Amino acid sequence: MTRPDYAEKIPNNVGLAQDRRLQRALESWQPDFLSWWETMGPTLPTRDVYLRTAIDVRGDGWAQFGHVPMIDYRWGIFLADRDPGRRIAFGAHQGEPAWQKVPGEYRAELQRLIVIQGDTEPASVEQQRNLGATAPSLYDLRNLFQVNVEEGRHLWAMVYLLHAYFGRDGREEAAALLHRNSGSADSPRILGAFNEETPDWLSFYMFTYFTDRDGKYQLGTLKESAFDPLSRTAEFMLKEEAHHMMVGTTGVDRVVERTAQVMVASDTDDIAAHGAIPLDIIQKYLNFHYSVSLDLFGGETSTNVANYYTAGLKGRWLEERRSGDHRLADDSIMVDALLDGQPGQVEVPALTGLNTDLRREYMADCAGGVKRWNRILEQAGLPQRLSLPHVAFNRQVGAFAPVEVSPAGERLPAAGWAARKGQWLPTDTDRAFVRSLMQPVYQRGKIAAWVAPPRNGINGQPFDYDYVHLA
Ligand code: BYC
């Protein structure tokens, strides 16, 4: 595998210069991407930002850091190294060599998975475009822009696959990825969570914790794909994705830390007047972002996912490391379901329950975040704790979509839900209060009062480094 070639118009490690047709097609998509970035990307004018750029796909030295004007960021196409002996790990084709081309019979499904994945990437940039105006520090501002440019690169990753392997249909889908927009009434993004606003930094941290973590799990399943270029693309994307989740994890840490400090210092839970975010509002934001992200795993039972698995298009989380059967034809699984109108579980064939299997991996991972935030509260000597709501709470997709359920899992009549919803999900007043705290802090080494500073800077730099030069 070659190192990315930065002399080319589109940096890549896929030998683009050897395929003139593909190169031309991607070079004609490039100006559309750049004009999308200018019109739908970050709105805060900046001179340059301390960004990391991938220079290799291997090892620790895979990225370099430096101040770059964002529009000059080198969005490129990078696939993890190819394993020439790779074999399909699961499904009906288990044991056969991984595919280097798209088999005709799976073309439509593969294209659909790639389009859905690709659609989320620019959507998140659109959702976050105005956050620069209210950044709590230059450090946070830099992290926001790092996440944004890499989501842009992830779009490139999917567009490469569409152009290289799906012909004219693929090129049309690549164009459409720039035409749908988050929250648009006429042509919204495909998945629900990507049409929600990210209007403030608490939402941003929650989004990068919960929704980027869905990305981790979905990419993990695509990394198992029999279609080798998709697997290799997903593998490298996961490497970049780790930073995005760090931004979310430590972002929520820092909000909870500050909240706890102010609660202790002022000896009250009602800290709104003290310029920090009350714990009950943090819990409501958590409830919202977690439940919306649970929807991203699709229905508890799904014939789509059974077909994807059997065909070898999308595996389970850590498929190759799992012991036992990798075809799942005779297995069963207990999935969440409505039983006599109450949240419960039913047994279904393992194949149709695969969305549930993946969602459970995700839920266990999310519990880790709550544990660390509760440790912060505990260390501050506070008795309050955060928690994940029940799996049936506030769901719009799947078995629980038709019912209303409290965070504790208790079924509610419509009137009960309407009366109590504001205790569990952010109200307009909560959102307005959080927004009122969001005043920008652009001086080096300074930070907004509602969030604690990070323990570490980026790439060994101190917190008061000049991470961003504004225009
Ligand atoms: N919203 O059979 P079902 C990321 C549709 S995030 C709207 O249960 P399936 C990132 C579904 O399409 C990761 N519609 O679904 C994070 C289906 O439609 P059709 C993104 C939904 O197919 C942060 C119907 O409902 N990647 O990378 O088993 C920043 C029946 O559903 C939703 C992927 O998701 C929804 N939430 O599973 C940046 C991977 N859920 O067929 C980036 C690719 C379901 O009836 N996608 N529907 O027309 C997939 O693997 C699957 O398509 C899904 C759905 C998991 C999304």
Side-chain angles (χ1 to χ4, degrees):
M1 182 50 46
T2 49
R3 274 171 76 103
D5 182 350
Y6 271 88
E8 289 202 39
K9 212 163 159 190
I10 302 169
N12 72 90
N13 71 350
V14 295
L16 204 53
Q18 277 85 61
D19 188 341
R20 293 279 173 212
R21 257 181 81 145
L22 176 59
Q23 188 179 35
R24 268 201 306 277
L26 285 166
E27 283 181 3
S28 73
W29 186 81
Q30 192 175 33
D32 296 340
F33 169 80
L34 291 173
S35 94
W36 167 81
W37 179 268
E38 298 252 69
T39 50
M40 297 307 291
T43 51
L44 184 75
T46 51
R47 197 146 44 87
D48 58 36
V49 182
Y50 186 67
L51 293 175
R52 82 175 173 188
T53 305
I55 50 165
D56 201 347
V57 290
R58 297 180 212 159
D60 291 340
W62 65 275
Q64 76 180 16
F65 288 78
H67 284 96
V68 233
M70 265 194 290
I71 196 68
D72 295 337
Y73 187 77
R74 304 302 312 277
W75 285 281
I77 300 162
F78 311 120
L79 271 59
D81 286 346
R82 179 171 166 198
D83 167 6
R86 179 165 180 257
R87 289 185 177 272
I88 301 168
F90 61 96
H93 301 284
Q94 187 184 6
E96 296 172 18
W99 312 322
Q100 301 307 324
K101 296 262 175 261
V102 178
E105 70 264 44
Y106 303 134
R107 193 182 164 87
E109 283 99 333
L110 260 177
Q111 183 175 303
R112 179 183 161 78
L113 286 174
I114 292 168
V115 166
I116 294 178
Q117 180 63 48
D119 191 69
T120 63
E121 315 288 1
S124 68
V125 176
E126 293 165 355
Q127 289 171 293
Q128 296 162 12
R129 65 193 302 252
N130 293 319
L131 287 174
T134 54
S137 71
L138 288 182
Y139 161 89
D140 287 284
L141 187 60
R142 176 260 165 219
N143 285 345
L144 167 72
F145 292 149
Q146 183 71 60
V147 168
N148 292 162
V149 292
E150 284 175 352
E151 300 300 6
R153 204 203 69 70
H154 291 179
L155 169 62
W156 269 97
M158 293 300 122
V159 164
Y160 162 71
L161 294 176
L162 291 170
H163 273 235
Y165 297 96
F166 295 90
R168 191 187 168 146
D169 288 351
R171 289 193 295 278
E172 282 171 9
E173 289 289 3
L177 288 171
L178 298 175
H179 295 146
R180 281 188 293 275
N181 292 135
S182 177
S184 154
D186 308 330
S187 66
R189 293 295 177 184
I190 299 170
L191 299 177
F194 294 89
N195 288 305
E196 300 287 348
E197 280 184 58
T198 311
D200 59 67
W201 282 75
L202 181 57
S203 300
F204 175 64
Y205 297 144
M206 291 288 177
F207 182 95
T208 40
Y209 186 83
F210 289 108
T211 308
D212 277 88
R213 196 167 302 273
D214 166 54
K216 166 181 161 184
Y217 282 86
Q218 298 294 347
L219 287 171
T221 67
L222 298 178
K223 177 171 167 274
E224 305 291 338
S225 182
F227 179 43
D228 205 39
L230 174 59
S231 160
R232 290 165 52 210
T233 303
E235 184 176 340
F236 187 62
M237 289 163 76
L238 279 165
K239 206 169 180 132
E240 293 169 314
E241 200 63 36
H243 172 72
H244 307 186
M245 281 177 297
M246 184 285 284
V247 169
T249 309
T250 57
V252 181
D253 281 0
R254 291 161 51 212
V255 177
V256 173
E257 187 182 333
R258 184 69 189 135
T259 292
Q261 280 166 4
V262 177
M263 285 169 76
V264 170
S266 57
D267 197 21
T268 170
D269 297 356
D270 189 11
I271 56 171
H274 299 267
I277 305 178
L279 207 52
D280 64 330
I281 295 189
I282 299 177
Q283 177 69 60
K284 291 185 198 182
Y285 272 64
L286 184 161
N287 290 347
F288 174 75
H289 287 272
Y290 177 66
S291 55
V292 164
S293 301
L294 289 181
D295 278 344
L296 293 173
F297 291 83
E300 280 62 27
T301 57
S302 160
T303 49
N304 282 345
V305 77
N307 294 337
Y308 295 153
Y309 186 86
T310 302
L313 311 184
K314 186 178 168 184
R316 286 173 297 175
W317 178 246
L318 300 182
E319 181 73 47
E320 293 184 29
R321 293 201 216 155
R322 291 200 188 197
S323 57
D325 172 32
H326 291 270
R327 292 180 190 242
L328 306 180
D330 306 317
D331 290 1
S332 64
I333 178 180
M334 298 299 290
V335 299
D336 301 307
L338 271 185
L339 296 181
D340 298 329
Q342 296 298 325
Q345 295 203 334
V346 287
E347 189 171 0
V348 300
L351 281 171
T352 49
L354 282 172
N355 284 342
T356 298
D357 180 73
L358 190 65
R359 184 168 19 242
R360 285 198 185 134
E361 297 281 349
Y362 168 84
M363 288 161 65
D365 195 348
C366 290
V370 174
K371 208 165 148 194
R372 64 187 271 153
W373 304 325
N374 282 338
R375 207 172 312 127
I376 295 171
L377 295 172
E378 190 184 342
Q379 280 166 357
L382 293 167
Q384 291 89 340
R385 296 292 178 261
L386 294 166
S387 58
L388 293 177
H390 192 273
V391 66
F393 172 77
N394 192 38
R395 296 289 303 281
Q396 312 299 323
V397 172
F400 302 119
V403 295
E404 303 299 357
V405 168
S406 74
E410 168 205 1
R411 172 95 194 261
L412 298 169
W417 169 255
R420 294 175 71 188
K421 190 179 156 189
Q423 294 169 20
W424 301 319
L425 289 170
T427 60
D428 290 345
T429 314
D430 296 330
R431 291 193 186 278
F433 168 71
V434 171
R435 262 203 304 277
S436 75
L437 295 181
M438 303 285 135
Q439 303 302 326
V441 179
Y442 297 140
Q443 295 97 321
R444 282 174 65 167
K446 294 275 189 308
I447 188 148
W450 55 268
V451 59
R455 301 217 183 288
N456 303 300
I458 294 297
N459 191 35
Q461 305 291 0
F463 171 63
D464 64 1
Y465 187 64
D466 55 339
Y467 287 109
V468 181
H469 296 126
L470 298 179

